[in-house]
């Protein structure tokens, strides 16, 4: 069985690594010649919306998935005409537009930060009147890792922020003084089976995820799962859906969702009974889902911009190193480290040691 993946980055690479034991093969459609999934898959090197390339892909595979949410709608439509594409087009359409996504959260009774749509300076002023300062202006589409976002703290900031985000359709959100950022990796299979991983607590540096720690018996777990179930069933979603939340007091506010495997779920490779990558594949193939429990106290650190000394990292016990085969470049995710320990204290001690090595 061959699976097509739109995108050939590290998420496609880790999907392929999880798929080989299940006897699966992969073909990626990816414009970059040095795509890091290419050594593990057939590689069609072309733009994601190239109709000939999409036709070639459709001829080689039985099922298509993707590793990023800004996949052109036309590509999904063309592929969807001849074979299953999972997650489904409506999950993609919701997740790629922050306004659609936040309105869906609201319709399903899932709490969010206050938000308003912004089309021009006038609607930005009106939104600020409703929300007040501080607030954050975000482009509706194509933002990631904090890109396409501007924080507003005073009236003077409006015009500059509007120009900085390229005067693109946007939303204005209240800036939340959250206590924690957590994310939930949820999975729904073709047959409707559901599974949820333990929440992870996430820490960012310069807008990029740096550390995800798997939480045990977190008081917010049940609420997060309930929210995820509403989304999965409303969208008739198939595959992994990752949801990022802000926690403030007893409130759990949904920030955004991604209809794909997610960086904050990389800890599951060595840290859970079944990885998010394997469960995504099981879900889209209609196979029973694997267990999602954490096997130990686990955390994942992203390697950003610079390669570490592999032997120093692996010299620490209970540490696993993943390098994606990407050239180091500033702000680029080039690998990650997973740490598994038998207690929370041992995990925190190990993370302190690791911080000195990366
Ligand atoms: P996003 O692209 O929406 O995931 O935002 C990137 C990061 O910016 C988040 O992980 C938060 O740390 C921060 N952020 C985004 N929106 C808000 C908000 N409304 N309030 C506070 N922090 C935010």
């Amino acid at each position: 069985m061959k699976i097509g993946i739109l995108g050939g980055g590290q998420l496609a690479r880790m999907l392929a690594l999880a798929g080989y034991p299940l006897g699966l093969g992969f073909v990626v459609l990816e414009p970059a010649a040095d795509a890091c999934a290419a050594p593990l898959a057939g590689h069609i090197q072309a733009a994601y919306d190239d109709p000939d390339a999409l036709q070639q892909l459709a001829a080689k595979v039985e099922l298509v998935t993707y590793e990023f949410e800004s996949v052109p709608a036309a590509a999904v439509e063309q592929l969807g005409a001849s074979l299953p594409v999972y997650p489904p087009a409506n999950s993609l359409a919701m997740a790629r537009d922050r306004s659609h996504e936040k309105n869906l959260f609201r319709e399903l009774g899932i709490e969010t930060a206050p938000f308003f749509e912004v089309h021009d300076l006038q609607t930005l002023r009106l939104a600020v009147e409703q929300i007040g300062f501080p607030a954050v202006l975000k482009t509706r589409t194509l933002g990631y890792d904090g890109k396409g976002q501007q924080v507003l703290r005073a009236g003077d900031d409006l015009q500059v922020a509007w120009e900085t985000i390229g005067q693109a359709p946007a939303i204005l959100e209240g800036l939340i003084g959250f206590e924690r950022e957590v994310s939930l990796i949820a999975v729904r299979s073709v047959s409707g089976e559901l599974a949820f991983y333990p929440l992870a607590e996430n820490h960012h540096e310069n807008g990029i995820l740096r550390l995800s720690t798997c939480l045990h018996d977190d008081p917010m777990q049940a609420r997060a799962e309930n929210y995820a179930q509403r989304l999965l069933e409303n969208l008739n979603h198939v595959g992994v859906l990752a949801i990022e939340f802000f926690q403030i007091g007893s409130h759990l506010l949904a920030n955004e969702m991604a209809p794909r495997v997610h960086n904050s779920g990389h800890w599951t490779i060595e840290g859970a009974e079944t990885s998010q990558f394997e469960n995504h594949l099981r879900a889209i193939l209609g196979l029973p889902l694997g267990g999602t429990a954490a096997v130990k106290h686990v955390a994942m650190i992203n390697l950003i911009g610079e390669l570490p000394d592999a032997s120093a990292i692996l010299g620490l016990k209970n540490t696993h190193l993943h390098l994606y085969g990407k050239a180091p470049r500033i702000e680029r995710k080039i690998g990650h480290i997973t740490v598994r320990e038998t207690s929370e204290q041992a995990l925190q001690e190990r993370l302190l040691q690791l911080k000195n090595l990366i």
Side-chain angles (χ1 to χ4, degrees):
M1 166 79 129
K2 275 223 158 81
I3 295 185
I5 307 177
L6 297 174
Q10 64 265 21
L11 299 181
R13 178 178 168 109
M14 288 185 270
L15 280 169
L17 286 168
Y20 284 117
L22 290 170
L24 303 171
F26 296 86
V27 180
V28 298
L29 172 61
E30 162 64 52
D34 60 351
C36 76
L40 287 98
H43 181 192
I44 300 174
Q45 195 191 335
Y48 304 118
D49 56 358
D50 177 330
D52 294 337
L54 290 164
Q55 205 177 343
Q56 261 186 59
L57 180 68
K60 287 182 185 221
V61 302
E62 283 148 85
L63 193 76
V64 172
T65 188
Y66 43 86
E67 62 151 19
F68 64 109
E69 53 270 36
S70 47
V71 172
V76 173
E77 206 175 303
Q78 184 182 332
L79 290 166
S82 59
L83 74 182
V85 180
Y86 293 129
N90 57 331
S91 293
L92 201 53
M94 287 293 158
R96 94 154 68 80
D97 183 318
R98 288 187 193 272
S99 179
H100 294 342
E101 174 180 75
K102 286 244 155 55
N103 278 306
L104 178 67
F105 293 154
R106 189 179 267 171
E107 272 165 38
L108 296 177
I110 299 170
E111 272 196 286
T112 66
F115 69 93
F116 285 87
E117 274 186 22
V118 170
H119 311 284
D120 49 26
L121 257 182
Q122 173 64 9
T123 43
L124 177 55
R125 281 196 199 97
L126 289 173
V128 167
E129 273 172 29
Q130 298 293 321
I131 289 174
F133 293 114
V136 53
L137 183 65
K138 301 180 175 180
T139 55
R140 283 174 61 169
T141 57
L142 297 176
Y144 68 98
D145 287 348
K147 293 187 173 58
Q149 297 192 15
Q150 288 292 307
V151 173
L152 308 182
R153 299 193 183 275
D156 292 351
D157 295 345
L158 267 61
Q159 178 131 15
V160 178
W162 177 239
E163 280 163 18
T164 309
I165 66 155
Q167 309 190 345
I171 58 168
L172 187 76
E173 281 177 24
L175 191 73
I176 304 299
F178 54 78
E179 285 144 37
R180 297 189 303 171
E181 287 193 84
V182 295
S183 58
L184 184 77
I185 306 293
V187 202
R188 183 171 180 274
S189 80
V190 173
S191 68
E193 185 185 356
L194 300 173
F196 307 97
Y197 286 90
L199 282 167
E201 178 170 337
N202 301 322
H203 293 269
H204 296 79
E205 279 174 17
N206 304 321
I208 304 176
L209 182 68
R210 180 65 155 175
L211 171 70
S212 285
T213 307
C214 165
L215 300 170
H216 289 251
D217 302 321
D218 193 82
M220 288 291 157
Q221 181 77 32
R223 177 127 30 114
E225 289 187 13
N226 177 284
Y227 286 171
Q229 183 164 355
R230 292 183 208 179
L231 286 163
L232 291 167
E233 288 177 349
N234 177 273
L235 292 165
N236 211 4
H237 186 87
V238 173
V240 162
L241 181 75
I243 312 165
E244 295 181 52
F245 298 98
F246 302 136
Q247 189 210 329
I248 175 161
S250 61
H251 297 274
L252 192 61
L253 311 180
N255 176 40
E256 62 178 3
M257 64 182 182
R260 56 169 168 79
V261 285
H262 193 257
N263 195 171
S264 68
H266 291 1
W267 66 268
T268 62
I269 298 177
E270 292 94 3
E273 285 171 10
T274 313
S275 80
Q276 63 163 345
F277 300 98
E278 180 175 340
N279 259 339
H280 180 74
L281 296 169
R282 289 189 189 207
I284 65 177
L285 290 165
L287 295 169
L289 299 179
T292 49
V295 292
K296 281 190 180 163
H297 293 264
V298 195
M300 184 265 352
I301 301 182
N302 266 339
L303 297 169
I304 303 165
E306 272 177 79
L307 280 170
D309 175 348
S311 99
I313 302 282
L314 295 173
L316 298 176
K317 288 284 164 258
N318 307 328
T319 299
H320 299 267
L321 178 62
H322 296 249
L323 298 177
Y324 306 148
K326 290 163 74 171
R329 199 167 65 211
I330 190 164
E331 295 197 336
R332 192 177 208 202
K333 292 173 184 168
I334 52 175
H336 72 263
I337 298 166
T338 312
V339 191
R340 299 193 312 191
E341 291 289 353
T342 45
S343 71
E344 194 54 37
Q345 195 190 338
L347 178 66
Q348 293 309 326
E349 283 167 13
R350 189 66 83 206
L351 288 174
L352 270 180
Q353 291 174 313
L354 269 169
K355 273 197 188 131
N356 296 322
L357 298 177
I358 56 172

